[in-house]
Amino acid sequence: QVQLVESGGGLVQPGGSLRLSCAASGSILSINIMGWYRQAPGKQRELVARIFSDGTANYAASVKDRFTISRDSAKNTVYLQMNSLKAEDTAVYYCNYRRSMASAGYWGQGTQVTVSS
């Protein structure tokens, strides 16, 4: 069993920045994949970024060069630094933990990010 607790969401103006954090606890394996997904109103949940145990990261094209995912494996925590935020980044952001790409994984409760003037 894995529990994920997200924090850092909030209201920010276009062009601003936020940093999301997700702390995992429970039966965490040293080899895993942690990622951030988001779901905007009327949209399907989409991958924002994910990071593997070796530090390799993938990003959605819409956030590449603006967002940075990182992890502190010792703390079982993953971060998402979001810069140059746009209104279209508004969504509920969810943390995900999975033990491999074949696993459905575990989800956090979500944290709201609203980008608005």
Side-chain angles (χ1 to χ4, degrees):
Q1 188 80 299
V2 174
Q3 298 80 43
L4 304 170
V5 179
E6 298 141 316
S7 62
L11 174 65
V12 65
Q13 294 184 352
S17 298
L18 284 173
R19 189 180 77 155
L20 306 183
S21 299
C22 173
S25 61
S27 55
I28 307 301
L29 300 181
S30 59
I31 299 175
N32 58 61
I33 307 163
M34 297 190 74
W36 290 96
Y37 293 71
R38 68 186 182 187
Q39 188 164 22
K43 300 281 190 176
Q44 291 185 293
R45 189 172 298 185
E46 65 174 351
L47 174 70
V48 176
R50 62 186 170 208
I51 186 165
F52 296 82
S53 297
D54 67 358
T56 301
N58 298 154
Y59 297 91
S62 59
V63 308
K64 188 174 177 64
D65 301 323
R66 297 190 297 120
F67 292 9
T68 302
I69 189 169
S70 61
R71 65 187 296 161
D72 184 337
S73 295
K75 297 180 179 179
N76 294 321
T77 300
V78 63
Y79 306 92
L80 185 68
Q81 178 66 47
M82 305 186 293
N83 298 326
S84 302
L85 283 161
K86 306 173 180 179
E88 48 263 48
D89 295 318
T90 295
V92 177
Y93 284 69
Y94 297 91
C95 181
N96 179 266
Y97 166 97
R98 60 184 66 193
R99 293 168 176 172
S100 73
M101 290 295 291
S103 174
Y106 300 83
W107 294 97
Q109 79 286 353
T111 184
Q112 177 71 48
V113 172
T114 302
V115 185
S116 180
S117 299

